[in-house]
């Protein structure tokens, strides 16, 4: 099981939060929001196969990461992966 760890230098506007979304069938899906919550542009990063949200870390929080731009980014763990 992948154990996500998010460590990033946070730009002033960026905020980071983790949560659990409950699907209609009761499945608990773990997600991570990063970036500006007031941003008009929202991005949902969907990982294929059996990977957890941690695989998006370079794209989200890296040196040219989306979290530092003027958008909010959501990554999540698919069913049965990571913290979901």
């Amino acid at each position: 099981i992948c154990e996500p760890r998010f460590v990033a230098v946070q730009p002033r506007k960026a905020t980071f939060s983790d949560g659990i979304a409950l699907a209609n069938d009761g499945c608990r899906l773990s997600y991570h929001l990063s970036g500006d919550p007031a941003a008009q542009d929202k991005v949902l990063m969907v990982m294929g196969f059996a990977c957890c949200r941690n695989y998006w870390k370079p794209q989200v929080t890296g040196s040219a990461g989306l979290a530092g731009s003027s958008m909010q980014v959501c990554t999540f763990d698919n069913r049965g992966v990571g913290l979901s």
Side-chain angles (χ1 to χ4, degrees):
I1 295 177
C2 179
E3 190 174 328
R5 292 189 178 105
F6 288 87
V7 179
V9 176
Q10 298 181 23
R12 260 180 255 200
K13 283 185 170 182
T15 60
F16 296 84
S17 66
D18 291 314
I20 298 290
L22 190 60
N24 289 340
D25 64 358
C27 181
R28 297 167 53 92
L29 300 172
S30 176
Y31 66 88
H32 178 79
L33 294 174
S34 55
D36 184 359
Q40 182 176 349
D41 295 321
K42 312 288 185 184
V43 177
L44 176 63
M45 307 292 275
V46 180
M47 181 57 71
F49 196 53
C51 298
C52 69
R53 66 186 185 199
N54 196 40
Y55 284 87
W56 288 118
K57 183 179 174 183
Q59 289 81 9
V60 176
T61 61
S63 59
L66 295 171
S69 64
S70 60
M71 61 182 70
Q72 186 177 36
V73 181
C74 178
T75 58
F76 67 98
D77 289 334
N78 289 318
R79 294 168 182 255
V81 177
L83 300 176
S84 290

